[in-house]
């Protein structure tokens, strides 16, 4: 059944203002994506809105409720395991806040299903800098963070911190079997670094990233410092183990 093959995982923390609109847009796409929301017990009632919406979309909309806010990495790991167990073949990561345009999922799907790509990355930096409405400091931090990550890890991807990514299930399976360490932005880098080291075919397509209009960012200092220092230890351990 084609509608059971592809799923979009959306992690949420306090996204009540965005979640229903983004679900509606994904459900309207021609590709028959399922959706899995992974909510970390948002105090604003995000999960309750999703549950209500599920009543009319039982076969395509799903929810994992976690006890508390534990980071985007662990939320995705929960979601990946669920998607693999439920036999989805094409598994996407996407933010809830409309920074990622749901219409790009259809473009990404073509690469993942028809062009022999194992990991398709929605990239802000493949063609220049395609970021709209972010303050210039945030654009610069993000751009140079990606450059830093590229140099330290040796992974030839322009947007290593992108959170708009599609994976073939076999890639996630193999990465999960070997363990994922990071929780914040570094998680996104770690996933691509490991897929690259496992010799999968990664491909970036340019996307336009737009800052959220509703709700607020969950970025904080500990997420940044995890990325800065964690990457160095990840690279060193890869050199010694020769696998990751
Ligand atoms: N489940 C879960 N979702 C999170 C967590 N932190 C962020 N998110 C979600 O991850 C996505 C990206 O987060 P956001 O705050 O927009 O990050 P930014 O775009 O880098 O500022 C959004 O859908 C958030 O609601 C978390 O700890 N747990
Ligand atoms: Mg955001």
């Amino acid at each position: 059944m084609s509608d059971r093959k592809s799923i979009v995982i959306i992690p949420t923390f306090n996204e009540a203002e965005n979640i229903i609109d983004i679900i509606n847009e994904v459900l309207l796409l021609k590709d028959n994506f399922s959706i899995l929301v992974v909510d970390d017990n948002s105090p604003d009632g995000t999960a309750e809105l999703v549950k209500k919406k599920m009543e009319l979309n039982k076969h395509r909309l799903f929810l994992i409720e976690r006890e508390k806010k534990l980071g985007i990495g662990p939320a995705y790991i929960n979601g990946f395991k669920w998607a693999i167990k439920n036999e989805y073949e094409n598994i996407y990561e996407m933010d809830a806040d409309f920074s990622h345009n749901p219409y790009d999922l259809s473009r990404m799907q073509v690469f993942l299903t028809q062009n022999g790509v194992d990991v398709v990355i929605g990239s802000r930096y493949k063609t220049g800098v395609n970021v709209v409405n972010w303050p210039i400091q945030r654009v610069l931090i993000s751009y140079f963070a990606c450059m830093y990550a590229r140099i330290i890890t040796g992974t030839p991807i322009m947007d290593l911190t992108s959170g708009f990514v599609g994976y073939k299930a076999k890639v996630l399976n193999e990465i999960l079997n070997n363990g994922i360490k990071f929780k914040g932005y570094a998680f996104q880098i770690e996933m691509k670094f490991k897929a690259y080291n496992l010799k999968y075919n990664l491909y970036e397509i340019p996307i336009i990233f737009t800052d959220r209009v509703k709700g607020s960012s969950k970025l904080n200092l500990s997420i940044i410092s995890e990325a800065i220092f964690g990457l160095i230890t990840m690279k060193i351990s890869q050199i010694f183990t020769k696998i990751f």
Side-chain angles (χ1 to χ4, degrees):
M1 256 164 49
S2 65
D3 55 326
R4 295 282 300 164
K5 280 196 172 156
S6 304
I7 190 159
V8 183
I9 305 177
I10 306 178
T12 53
F13 188 75
N14 284 347
E15 299 289 0
E17 290 174 277
N18 293 308
I19 192 65
I20 296 303
D21 291 342
I22 197 113
I23 288 171
N24 284 337
E25 290 214 12
V26 175
L27 290 176
L28 281 175
L29 296 173
K30 64 176 176 6
D31 310 82
N32 282 324
F33 290 109
S34 297
I35 302 171
L36 172 63
V37 176
V38 185
D39 185 69
D40 278 8
N41 206 1
S42 300
D44 74 350
T46 303
E48 279 64 45
L49 294 174
V50 175
K51 277 186 223 162
K52 196 138 188 277
K53 183 82 187 165
M54 282 165 72
E55 290 168 15
L56 291 173
N57 296 277
K58 279 197 177 64
H59 303 293
R60 285 180 69 192
L61 178 58
F62 307 95
L63 171 69
I64 292 177
E65 292 183 88
R66 290 156 31 99
E67 255 171 48
K68 58 178 180 176
K69 187 175 186 311
L70 292 169
I72 196 169
Y76 269 127
I77 290 170
N78 264 30
F80 292 155
K81 287 183 176 159
W82 187 97
I84 290 168
K85 202 174 89 204
N86 286 279
E87 298 183 340
Y88 285 94
E89 286 172 18
N90 309 301
I91 302 169
Y92 289 85
E93 302 181 347
M94 188 176 80
D95 291 354
D97 59 359
F98 283 96
S99 285
H100 303 142
N101 185 338
Y103 290 98
D104 286 328
L105 287 166
S106 293
R107 291 172 58 219
M108 294 164 91
Q109 178 79 339
V110 173
F111 285 89
L112 214 54
T113 57
Q114 294 169 33
N115 293 12
V117 169
D118 300 313
V119 180
V120 58
I121 300 162
S123 176
R124 296 162 292 184
Y125 308 127
K126 170 144 181 184
T127 50
V129 177
N130 295 342
V131 175
V132 177
N133 281 348
W134 253 4
I136 187 72
Q137 314 88 283
R138 184 119 197 233
V139 177
L140 289 172
I141 290 171
S142 167
Y143 187 80
F144 285 107
C146 283
M147 191 185 285
Y148 169 83
R150 196 159 62 242
I151 293 167
I152 297 283
T153 67
T155 312
I157 293 292
M158 290 302 288
D159 194 352
L160 279 170
T161 62
S162 171
F164 199 13
V165 188
Y167 295 92
K168 296 304 276 186
K170 62 178 179 187
V171 182
L172 294 178
N173 221 348
E174 198 169 355
I175 295 178
L176 288 178
N177 281 340
N178 290 282
I180 287 286
K181 185 170 137 212
F182 295 121
K183 296 186 166 36
Y185 277 111
F187 163 81
Q188 296 295 1
I189 302 167
E190 183 181 17
M191 292 291 297
K192 298 175 190 77
F193 171 72
K194 291 185 169 172
Y196 175 71
N197 284 319
L198 290 163
K199 311 270 186 285
Y200 285 110
N201 181 12
L202 282 63
Y203 189 76
E204 285 181 279
I205 66 164
I207 55 139
I208 294 172
F209 177 101
T210 313
D211 193 17
R212 62 162 75 238
V213 177
K214 295 176 180 169
S216 57
S217 169
K218 283 97 212 171
L219 178 66
N220 61 39
L221 216 56
S222 77
I223 291 176
I224 297 175
S225 73
E226 178 192 55
I228 294 175
F229 301 110
L231 289 193
I232 300 173
T233 45
M234 180 173 79
K235 180 66 190 175
I236 292 171
S237 78
Q238 183 237 351
I239 292 168
F240 285 109
T241 61
K242 296 271 183 245
I243 314 165
F244 272 168

